Amino acid sequence: MKKKIAILGASGYTGAELVRLIATHPHMQIVALSGDRKAGMAMAEVFPFLRHLNLPALVRIEEIDFSHVDLAFCALPHATSQAVIANLPRDLPVVDLSADFRLRDVAEYQKWYGKPHAAPDLQKDAVYGLTEFYRDEIRTARLVAGTGCNAAAGQYALRPLIEAGVIDLDSILIDLKAGVSGAGRSLKENLLHAELSEGTMAYAAGGTHRHLGEFDQEFTRAAGRPVLVQFTPHLLPMNRGILASVYVNGEPAQVHATLAARYALEPFLEVLPMGLLPSTRDIRGSNFVHLGVIADRIPGRALVIAVLDNLCKGSSGQAIQNANLMLGLEETAGLMLAPVFP
Amino acid sequence: MKKKIAILGASGYTGAELVRLIATHPHMQIVALSGDRKAGMAMAEVFPFLRHLNLPALVRIEEIDFSHVDLAFCALPHATSQAVIANLPRDLPVVDLSADFRLRDVAEYQKWYGKPHAAPDLQKDAVYGLTEFYRDEIRTARLVAGTGCNAAAGQYALRPLIEAGVIDLDSILIDLKAGVSGAGRSLKENLLHAELSEGTMAYAAGGTHRHLGEFDQEFTRAAGRPVLVQFTPHLLPMNRGILASVYVNGEPAQVHATLAARYALEPFLEVLPMGLLPSTRDIRGSNFVHLGVIADRIPGRALVIAVLDNLCKGSSGQAIQNANLMLGLEETAGLMLAPVFP
Amino acid sequence: MKKKIAILGASGYTGAELVRLIATHPHMQIVALSGDRKAGMAMAEVFPFLRHLNLPALVRIEEIDFSHVDLAFCALPHATSQAVIANLPRDLPVVDLSADFRLRDVAEYQKWYGKPHAAPDLQKDAVYGLTEFYRDEIRTARLVAGTGCNAAAGQYALRPLIEAGVIDLDSILIDLKAGVSGAGRSLKENLLHAELSEGTMAYAAGGTHRHLGEFDQEFTRAAGRPVLVQFTPHLLPMNRGILASVYVNGEPAQVHATLAARYALEPFLEVLPMGLLPSTRDIRGSNFVHLGVIADRIPGRALVIAVLDNLCKGSSGQAIQNANLMLGLEETAGLMLAPVFP
Amino acid sequence: MKKKIAILGASGYTGAELVRLIATHPHMQIVALSGDRKAGMAMAEVFPFLRHLNLPALVRIEEIDFSHVDLAFCALPHATSQAVIANLPRDLPVVDLSADFRLRDVAEYQKWYGKPHAAPDLQKDAVYGLTEFYRDEIRTARLVAGTGCNAAAGQYALRPLIEAGVIDLDSILIDLKAGVSGAGRSLKENLLHAELSEGTMAYAAGGTHRHLGEFDQEFTRAAGRPVLVQFTPHLLPMNRGILASVYVNGEPAQVHATLAARYALEPFLEVLPMGLLPSTRDIRGSNFVHLGVIADRIPGRALVIAVLDNLCKGSSGQAIQNANLMLGLEETAGLMLAPVFP
């Protein structure tokens, strides 16, 4: 019998991506969809690409009877999530895709998100959802906090290197290229086609991007000492995809070997042969991560590049992977869809 | 036990799309891949987006032992297909994605493709692969000829109207907008990003596009009298997708009702409510067709718009749908993947 | 001495395009820029691409002293223009880029724009700004109404044919492909990059697009009898450019000859040799129009394709061309910039 | 009287860009265009966007009578240039856009370009064409070597900082994002729209890109000691534009002040206020460079971003700027065209 799934906040891109993936998931079935401003509308109106599916209409959260729900995905905006999840039944497994439960220290949350944490008691139970590094905790968690999409890309490139101690910790630099869907379906001038296509620019530069909170937390934990990285994201004229160019001081062959060994058994992480570099086109629409390593001409310096689809592995795909673990399903169930190219 | 599949011509876009779809097909397994110029290479080298799959390497066709193959897809260039298929075992089910067997009359083939047909005896057995209109013949066919991608889009909009006699047959006009992957992975100046992005132009205008051969054949058959349509394709800066704007003289409500009735039970064809028009974004990466009808301000004139993904429903998805029928599998097996948006 | 120019509504795309063109205009100088919501800001903040220019800051319209202004461009939204222009000095030459004065019959204005005309007395003096067809009237006009960008493209293809009587008037069909900047810098979901890139759809179909009001007015005048055309615009993932595919019943050679003769002396209109078809890429950023004609395989049917840049020749370039005439300058002054390709 | 200009290699993008710019140059006139493989064709056939111009047809170089030529631009492929220029009249001023004369040390040329230099005697007379840093030498040069487009972007960000000694020389890192026209009009699979749009990847990574030869030469000269930088270019789905993200260790305010002071009088270089970062969209189609500086959260680290149009300021615009100097014209003549946005 299929697991009954509710998606809260189904009218945004990550909500729609959850529906897309669950559409062919063998063990999940959508029983409720919420979308406050669009309550009453059919999903086919909000997202015509889902027209072929037989889906419940969008309702307001308070209209959902959670007693028949096995797991809820919460794809609401930051800050909203804390309040909503605080009101859900305490035994309902929840995968949250917002930033609200990513930072263990609520003071860090306030620092990066500019307001006090609204559910500090729930925060204590939240598990950080980078599956490959928190698999056991996720399996038994009640609340899993999905990672930032950029934060995921950077960590896939760096965590094994930090844990293994094969790179210098004080000169890590992440130059990241991000597709536009990461900004959501929000009406902002800089997201218009006429403003965005055929060009690029940096944003949230200078160490101000909120995903730095996750890097700080996770790299410091992995290293056992404070680690601060440089991180500059750039907005690219592409809808899906993140490419993180990660510059490290370390022996390139050792860097490559460390990543290859760490991810050898991971179903979604592919480490390319030494010297080959990945493209975002090769993971689009999928839950896969491709990683490449190349030595610089300057000895002792290496470039690691990680690519993933921000909406899938960076968000909704990760969420389903975690939900599979929480529900006792096969971890890869519903997620082996091949990338879409071209 | 899974059906054993060979793909001849796996180094092009339609070949890669077959692999993508079969990757999650519950009843098919790829046992052989050919790619003459790239024989000896791994698919992961030719198409890194398929890196996560355990696939046979590319070989030359003559290296394949077809005695262990249940069905072959032939995704070779036009003209090559005829020669290759003529040399395959006569009892091997074949789905051809080229233009080589689409036209029943070999004189028509010569007219549109500029050279004599190389396998006229095989042509007699070929079934035209527009699934929804030749389902029974396909089920028992040995050789199915995949349709042109543009030809499919136009026919989905027009065949039921012609069959039902609800439109004027002498004033049909198809203005089509096509994505670039329809031109294949060929090195042509006009397909370069710098030449193609941010602009549009017509091509093969003036009644010269080869898919007119299919329109003539099929519409004349459907009408029981000669039907000639006007057809102008335009190349758009998008990778996947065809939008056919079909202008007809007929009663709009009747046009809509005819299409809705004809496709009511079809798993992949969605007729939108009267007045709503489809977008190529909503079928990208999928086997679905969306159709819309709107009345013009001039009485007795209607616009029908059909959208499909040229690589999927217009080519490789159609091919798998037909192969499912030929192999006695469920027609929709492996093809219910939701579109990828955004 | 340079002519002193004011631009009202300089914070939108057409306003910015006026500034771009005037930046290298030998006889114009910008002395005032208005932008109500952005009053007080520097143009370099609103449009950083104009940073190198020494421009006046944006002000509110009432702050402008028009006694020192030789001509005003009014690039305000529809409906706003009527009220603003009604309050300008009556002897100030004005080129309006909105739709407010395009339709001579104020009843037609109300029909297409849904509200009563706010300045019917001014309407009487307004000249329709399709330069090549109203040159003499424009030269002496006080108020010139810029045409719709789509309306311009369609008329360049059709007016000479209608005037010469070489095509059937009851079967004209315009299938138009439009870039996104035509929709302006407005925050609409369907204009987001993630919604728009890599796909296409029709909009304002079924004879509802407002530029039909211009087609009806102008074609009826040119023909001396009522002419109704079919017109369907499609939105394409490109920022600039319009391609109008115009289907007519007429002798193709005569169609071509008529256009070639009519435009032989026009500085901005290029009729390609018979059978060649234009691309929007070849006029991007310029004031040029390219026109092509091809015969269909069905005798007596022709396809005319016209391309222009909606922001330039379709709007701000046309406005400057008209202003040049009104100010007694050389018509082409400042407008011979070559297109930007790629 | 206008200067008579020949363009050798006019059938590529940089050749076409030269024609575009000269089209409105007040003091230059094109008298000869060469294009070996396309000799005999009109430019309007090769580049329809130049159709409105009255241009000489393409010829073979040996057909040109250079006695009537005031200056030749050489926009030929690398390696070809050396041979061609060696055969031109020794008193003919030449601006070469290829890489053939950029490296003063012919051994460095061989190292980066893989073949011996074919005109080492000419190399001695060549001046490196980064205008703002070699203005006086260029004025009197007979042969000016255009810089690499990426090399120009990196140097605008870094040269003043190196010269002023305000940054650490051993930790300079350039992560560059490049548009596709920099690769020219060549038929390569990775430049196809279907391969390139909607994605990104690094290329020539690991310290192998040839423009490193220029960085090494120029930065070492500027510093008076060897300087090696890290440099990784990424290919983006945009036709024009380079964005260089340059990471330096230095006091951010001092970095900004140094750049602002150095470029205060430069007509084409705009240093944005501290903390503002530029976009490639704001310089597209123009000869302008925008530079921004932002402090990192880690003290003593700064990010400098430089953007330019690779075809214009990075290549053909620079070439004309240099030619203006060589011909005694105003340096900015013909180059003040505003960027094209959107």
Side-chain angles (χ1 to χ4, degrees), chain B residues 16-17 38 77 117 119 121 126 162 186 202-203 215 238 251:
Chain B
E17 180 78 351
K38 304 198 171 169
H117 200 288
D121 57 323
I162 293 173
S186 47
Y203 69 98
F215 286 137
M238 61 185 188
E251 202 49 52

Side-chain angles (χ1 to χ4, degrees), chain A residues 51, chain B residues 255-264 269-274 276 289-293:
Chain A
R51 171 175 291 279
Chain B
V255 165
H256 183 263
T258 303
L259 291 172
R262 175 61 181 82
Y263 296 136
L269 278 85
E270 298 273 334
V271 180
L272 311 192
M274 183 70 183
L276 278 190
V289 180
H290 286 191
L291 291 136
V293 179

Side-chain angles (χ1 to χ4, degrees), chain D residues 2 21 37 75 92 104 130 134 151 164 167 205 221 227 253 257 281 285 300 311 314 319 322 329:
Chain D
K2 292 194 175 186
L21 294 168
R37 283 179 313 158
L92 177 68
R104 288 181 202 94
L130 198 70
Y134 289 95
I167 57 170
R221 166 182 279 221
V227 176
R281 291 169 200 91
L311 283 183
N322 289 334
L329 305 172

Side-chain angles (χ1 to χ4, degrees), chain A residues 13 38 180 185-189 191-197 237-239, chain C residues 13 38 180 185-189 191-197 237-239:
Chain A
Y13 289 150
K38 304 198 171 170
V180 65
R185 208 180 200 182
S186 47
L187 297 182
K188 295 182 186 158
E189 193 172 89
L191 304 181
L192 294 175
H193 188 279
E195 305 281 325
L196 188 67
S197 82
M238 60 185 189
N239 288 336
Chain C
Y13 290 149
K38 304 198 172 172
V180 65
R185 208 179 201 183
S186 47
L187 297 182
K188 295 182 185 159
E189 192 172 271
L191 303 181
L192 295 174
H193 188 279
E195 305 280 324
L196 188 67
S197 82
M238 60 186 189
N239 288 337

Side-chain angles (χ1 to χ4, degrees), chain B residues 169-183:
Chain B
L169 297 178
D170 296 319
S171 57
I172 297 168
L173 197 152
I174 305 172
D175 187 284
L176 188 134
K177 295 84 181 165
V180 65
S181 63

Side-chain angles (χ1 to χ4, degrees), chain C residues 10 24 43 157 278 315:
Chain C
T24 46
M43 271 301 265
S315 187

